[in-house]
């Protein structure tokens, strides 16, 4: 599913770069103004490893804004957006976002509210960037045209797959504590190893993440979740103590308690395995969030019963109720996306419950009704939730799921309840009996819905109308309108 993490570093990928139209325009303008200019950061890193990138950043030793306007004119690009606060200017060149900034002496912080805009040299600028692999620059000036400017050994780190800060990590992380999350995010996305001093510094400074906005945190977290193997990132988030700062509910999942020789699995690592399993089958961020949170209420529902052992009764409902609070705290969207996650958590045990008894049409219809369009994602989550080490058991569960999936398809084709629209609406009932809005309408609608889901009547208007009349009569209602079929 998500992009693989394997790559090779090849400096030859920089060959010909300065002849490409966009770079050539920068080179010519730099020559005209006699100003030191460099392509820098993520673009250079991604180009070296052959990863597509639609964001190109340039640093100029001078006025980045005026320079951007001149380059935009050469390229006949559209409007130049100037962010005075950040000292940057940006324009679009086709679908590529091009950004210019003047080299800075102090901390490089593109989203700081109080940026320090002391002019500096390229080296000053590079050393205040987050990681050596992100501080790589390519010269746009005669003399070194097209050459890599790499004072901190970024290309070697990229090749050895190590993430390291150009300066003492304490300085780099105090400049912007979000970089601690970014270290783990890049490590997960590119399958890197965090340099020891860097890892120790994150662990020591984890609390400093508290000054970072929830939006910036969730944006990095979502990138970890969307990685090829998100478990790597979550394991690091837990071990460094960063996870404790913004998702303590998940930290509570760790550990396996034992009583009278009966243990339960470590729900943190189980969750990570489910997440990795889902990642192999879907790139949907919200389905992946469903995996992250599917067992979130297990610690709060955990009981020990001498007969049954460890139980987590109701963790799916309690977990679903926890979802809005977690999303609110992380400033994640509270719209349909949150509702989807909530639904996945609430329903994640239903398919397995189905396989325990005989798989009846009516139970399948109810599941389809409750899951709606999310049924396929729910089934991906449920399959991913089978993490038993016992191969025989695993095979049996998976075979049962296949049976449920077949049944789902059969019932859906027959009864079309996936996006159930009641064949008789509340307006129909009011018009038929000449009554104003009242409780009876809801009661009749529920009887009709249950009859369809139980298979007592087909999902057809005519039969639903007859049932409505019968139910109305029971409530003493008289038909005032002829059936409108
Ligand atoms: N940067 C930094 N500190 C930050 C954010 C960004 O030093 N907190 C620098 C890095 O040099 C980075 C560049 O700004 O390469 C661009 O940042 P950004 O676009 O956020 O990251 P990319 O490295 O381009 O990676 P991605 O596009 O995957 O986010």
């Amino acid at each position: 599913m998500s992009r693989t993490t394997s790559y090779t570093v090849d400096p030859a990928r920089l060959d010909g770069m300065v002849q490409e139209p966009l770079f050539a325009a920068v080179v010519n303008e730099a020559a005209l103004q006699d100003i030191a200019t460099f392509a820098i950061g993520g673009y250079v890193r991604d180009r070296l490893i052959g990863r597509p990138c639609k964001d190109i950043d340039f640093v100029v030793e001078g006025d980045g804004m005026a320079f951007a306007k001149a380059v935009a004119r050469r390229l006949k690009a559209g409007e130049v957006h100037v962010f005075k606060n950040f000292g940057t200017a940006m324009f679009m060149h086709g679908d590529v976002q091009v950004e210019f900034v003047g080299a800075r002496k102090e901390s490089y912080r593109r989203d700081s509210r109080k940026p320090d805009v002391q002019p500096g040299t390229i080296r000053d600028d590079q050393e205040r960037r987050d990681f050596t692999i992100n501080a790589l620059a390519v010269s746009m000036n005669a003399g070194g045209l097209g050459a890599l400017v790499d004072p901190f050994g970024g290309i070697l780190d990229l090749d050895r797959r190590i993430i390291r800060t150009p300066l003492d990590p304490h300085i780099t992380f105090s400049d912007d504590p979000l970089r601690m999350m970014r270290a783990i995010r890049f490590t997960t996305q590119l399958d890197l190893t965090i340099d020891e001093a860097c890892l120790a510094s994150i662990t020591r400074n984890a609390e400093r993440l508290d000054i970072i906005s929830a939006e910036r945190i969730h944006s990095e977290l979502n990138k970890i979740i969307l990685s090829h193997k998100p478990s790597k990132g979550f394991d690091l988030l837990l071990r460094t103590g960063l996870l404790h700062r913004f998702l303590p509910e998940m930290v509570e999942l760790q550990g396996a308690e034992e009583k009278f020789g009966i243990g339960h699995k470590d729900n943190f690592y189980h969750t990570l395995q489910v997440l990795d399993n889902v990642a192999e089958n879907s790139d949907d961020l919200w389905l992946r969030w469903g995996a992250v949170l599917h067992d979130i209420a297990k610690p709060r529902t955990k009981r020990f019963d001498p007969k049954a052992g460890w139980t987590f009764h109701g963790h799916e409902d309690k977990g679903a109720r926890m979802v809005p609070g977690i999303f609110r705290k992380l400033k994640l969207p509270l719209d349909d996306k949150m509702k989807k996650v909530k639904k996945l958590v609430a329903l994640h045990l239903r398919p397995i419950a189905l396989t325990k008894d005989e798989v009846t049409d009516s139970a399948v219809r109810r599941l389809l009704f409750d899951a709606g369009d999310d049924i396929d994602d729910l089934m991906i989550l449920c399959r991913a939730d089978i993490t038993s080490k016992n191969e025989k058991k695993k095979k049996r569960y998976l075979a049962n799921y296949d049976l449920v999936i077949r049944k789902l398809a059969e019932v859906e084709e027959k009864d079309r309840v996936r996006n159930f629209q009641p064949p008789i609406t509340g307006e129909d009932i009011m018009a038929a009996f000449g009554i104003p809005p009242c409780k009876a309408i809801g009661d009749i609608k529920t009887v009709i819905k249950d009859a369809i889901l139980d298979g007592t009547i087909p999902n057809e208007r005519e039969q639903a109308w007859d049932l409505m009349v019968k139910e109305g009569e029971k409530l003493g209602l008289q038909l005032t309108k002829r059936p409108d079929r």
Side-chain angles (χ1 to χ4, degrees):
M1 280 283 128
S2 3
R3 271 194 304 226
T4 101
T5 50
S6 71
Y7 67 74
T8 50
V9 179
D10 185 358
R13 292 197 178 101
L14 300 181
D15 293 352
M17 175 170 154
V18 289
Q19 277 92 46
E20 291 164 19
L22 167 69
F23 295 97
V26 175
V27 168
N28 291 335
E29 191 57 37
L32 183 77
Q33 295 197 23
D34 189 22
I35 195 168
T37 306
F38 304 84
I40 194 161
Y43 178 80
V44 179
R45 176 200 67 217
D46 286 347
R47 186 158 175 148
L48 281 165
I49 63 174
R51 192 177 184 236
C53 180
K54 297 231 173 276
D55 255 323
I56 309 181
D57 294 341
F58 292 94
V59 166
V60 300
E61 288 185 0
D63 183 348
M65 290 181 263
F67 194 86
K69 284 182 188 158
V71 174
R73 267 197 305 276
R74 278 180 185 268
L75 289 167
K76 300 193 172 50
E79 205 185 332
V80 179
H81 303 273
V82 172
F83 306 97
K84 270 218 172 89
N85 278 357
F86 313 131
T88 62
M90 186 278 274
F91 61 82
M92 295 302 295
H93 179 60
D95 60 347
V96 176
Q97 185 177 308
V98 190
E99 201 166 318
F100 289 84
V101 65
R104 303 153 186 216
K105 221 186 207 104
E106 292 300 324
S107 171
Y108 181 88
R109 289 202 43 194
R110 59 168 42 195
D111 34 21
S112 158
R113 247 165 279 164
K114 281 193 238 127
D116 207 323
V117 283
Q118 284 241 46
T121 63
I122 178 69
R123 198 197 151 101
D124 294 330
D125 190 284
Q126 279 174 302
E127 73 175 22
R128 302 314 292 237
R129 286 182 179 254
D130 52 3
F131 307 112
T132 60
I133 62 168
N134 287 349
L136 293 160
V138 173
S139 167
M140 299 286 120
N141 300 100
L145 191 61
L148 194 66
V149 182
D150 179 19
F152 305 104
I155 193 160
L156 207 68
D157 286 344
L158 197 54
D159 194 44
R160 290 185 307 189
R161 308 183 86 99
I162 288 174
I163 193 144
R164 200 164 54 86
T165 51
L167 297 178
D168 176 337
H170 289 317
I171 301 175
T172 303
F173 294 141
S174 333
D175 280 352
D176 181 4
L178 183 75
R179 289 169 168 176
M180 300 189 285
M181 286 287 289
R182 283 172 63 89
I184 294 177
R185 189 258 285 190
F186 285 115
T187 299
T188 315
Q189 277 184 327
L190 299 174
D191 196 16
L192 311 175
T193 304
I194 305 187
D195 155 78
E196 235 172 78
C198 191
L199 190 66
S201 174
I202 297 177
T203 311
R204 182 124 55 94
N205 291 302
E207 280 173 20
R208 306 209 46 192
L209 195 68
D210 295 358
I211 63 165
I212 299 296
S213 74
E215 287 87 348
R216 294 182 80 207
I217 292 176
H218 84 218
S219 144
E220 294 299 325
L221 185 60
N222 284 346
K223 286 179 185 170
I224 293 173
I225 293 177
L226 283 173
S227 298
H228 181 62
K229 199 163 180 268
S231 61
K232 179 166 177 162
F234 275 99
D235 189 31
L236 282 165
L237 288 173
L238 179 77
R239 287 198 285 126
T240 51
L242 288 181
L243 192 61
H244 302 60
R245 312 313 309 173
F246 58 86
L247 197 47
E249 297 85 347
M250 205 176 163
V251 177
E252 287 175 38
L253 288 171
Q254 85 173 308
E257 210 177 321
E258 208 182 282
K259 244 183 197 172
F260 311 116
I262 304 173
H264 64 76
K265 62 184 168 216
D266 181 315
N267 287 305
F268 183 78
Y269 288 101
H270 162 73
T271 293
L272 296 200
Q273 205 184 327
V274 176
L275 177 58
D276 281 351
N277 290 347
V278 165
E280 279 176 21
N281 291 292
S282 169
D283 281 338
D284 184 298
L285 176 62
W286 309 108
L287 167 57
R288 290 187 182 201
W289 262 107
V292 172
L293 298 180
H294 79 287
D295 278 347
I296 201 70
K298 272 198 167 172
R300 299 183 188 190
T301 52
K302 183 164 104 173
R303 302 276 177 278
F304 185 80
D305 173 343
K307 280 197 203 111
W310 294 102
T311 66
F312 304 91
H313 289 310
H315 75 272
E316 68 285 15
D317 286 331
K318 201 176 182 77
R321 272 182 272 124
M322 286 167 73
V323 172
I326 290 173
F327 267 49
R328 202 169 297 121
K329 221 173 53 188
L330 284 169
K331 298 250 169 60
L332 283 162
L334 295 172
D335 56 8
D336 291 353
K337 292 154 188 150
M338 185 275 283
K339 286 193 193 126
K340 171 173 178 169
V341 177
K342 199 172 160 189
K343 193 199 276 182
L344 290 170
V345 176
L347 298 180
H348 82 272
L349 294 180
R350 284 274 289 279
I352 209 177
L354 267 183
T355 64
K356 281 196 178 136
D357 314 308
E358 199 196 335
V359 186
T360 63
D361 276 14
S362 124
V364 171
R365 241 181 259 119
R366 281 191 179 274
L367 179 60
L368 266 171
F369 174 74
D370 290 336
D373 271 342
D374 297 317
I375 187 71
D376 299 330
D377 283 347
L378 178 66
M379 295 311 286
I380 293 178
L381 174 60
C382 293
R383 265 180 162 273
D385 200 8
I386 304 171
T387 59
S388 169
K389 296 256 178 323
N390 177 335
E391 280 304 317
K392 246 170 127 185
K393 236 182 181 176
K394 198 164 159 179
K395 255 203 179 129
R396 197 176 66 233
Y397 284 150
L398 288 174
N400 281 345
Y401 271 115
D402 290 340
L403 179 70
V404 174
I405 286 173
R406 269 205 307 282
K407 264 283 199 220
L408 280 166
E410 263 171 49
V411 170
E412 173 59 9
E413 191 172 335
K414 220 167 41 174
D415 303 340
R416 296 160 285 112
V417 288
R418 179 187 277 233
N419 278 313
F420 180 82
Q421 293 297 331
I424 297 288
T425 65
E427 279 82 48
D428 288 333
I429 302 170
M430 289 192 278
F433 297 115
I435 53 171
C438 59
K439 182 174 172 293
I441 296 159
D443 292 346
I444 295 174
K445 276 177 75 179
T446 304
V447 171
I448 295 172
K449 182 194 87 187
D450 285 342
I452 293 170
L453 293 180
D454 289 339
T456 335
I457 63 165
N459 186 8
E460 302 291 348
R461 187 167 165 87
E462 199 170 324
Q463 281 87 344
W465 182 279
D466 294 341
L467 182 57
M468 173 196 75
V469 175
K470 231 165 63 198
E471 284 305 304
E473 275 168 5
K474 275 194 218 162
L475 297 169
L477 298 171
Q478 295 289 321
L479 211 56
T480 59
K481 182 176 179 283
R482 295 172 72 72
D484 158 24
R485 289 171 178 164

